[in-house]
Each structure stands twice: as C-alpha cells, then as structure tokens.
Amino acid sequence: MFLHETPAIAVGLDHLMATVPHFADADLTRFEWWRRDADFGGLIHMILGQQVSVQAAAAMWAKLTLLMPEPDPALFLTLDDAQLSSA
C-alpha cells in the first residue's frame, strides 16, 4: 500500500501538495506505507527501522529471530547484553 492510498493521510498529503510549492509535483507512488503488526514484534520492527537503514534493520531482525523465534516480551527480557549485541 502506498502512503497516499491511506485515507487518513491522503487528505493531509493533498493539502500539502496544494499549499507548499516544493511538494506540488511530488510522485506519491514513490512513498510506500510500511505497516507493522500491532504486537511486540511490530514494535521491535519499528524501533529498529527508526535507528538504521531498512537493510540493516532487516539483518538485525533476522539475527534476533534466531535468538527469539517468536516475538515475546518475556523472552526478550531474558536476553543478555551479549546476545542482544550479537543481533
């Protein structure tokens, strides 16, 4: 799904494109809306994605799933600093 296809966001984007000259000719199909599940795993994905590139976040997620096959807060809290650093 693209960002401009999300109804709650489309109105704001339309306004931005109509009122700010720099955005008038924006290609809205270049901006994908990345949705995450509304659970612990989704939260971890969002945190990783805010700190590093998409590729680096994906690599970290892959390593983390080796330590924690199912996203679980209780299991996450049992991981020590060395394990988390390795991911």
Side-chain angles (χ1 to χ4, degrees), residues 34-37 39-54 57-58 60-62 64-65 71:
W34 292 33
R35 292 184 169 210
R36 299 292 185 204
D37 293 332
D39 60 9
F40 185 69
L43 176 65
I44 297 291
H45 268 111
M46 285 186 277
I47 291 169
L48 287 174
Q50 290 177 4
Q51 302 302 317
V52 295
S53 71
V54 172
M60 284 184 239
W61 178 256
L64 186 59
T65 58

Side-chain angles (χ1 to χ4, degrees), residues 13-26:
L13 285 174
D14 288 344
H15 176 74
L16 185 65
M17 292 176 72
T19 59
V20 179
H22 292 297
F23 291 97
D25 297 323

Side-chain angles (χ1 to χ4, degrees), residues 27-41:
D27 177 8
L28 297 180
T29 61
R30 292 188 59 218
F31 303 100
E32 288 188 61
W33 183 248
W34 292 33
R35 292 184 169 210
R36 299 292 185 204
D37 293 332
D39 60 9
F40 185 69

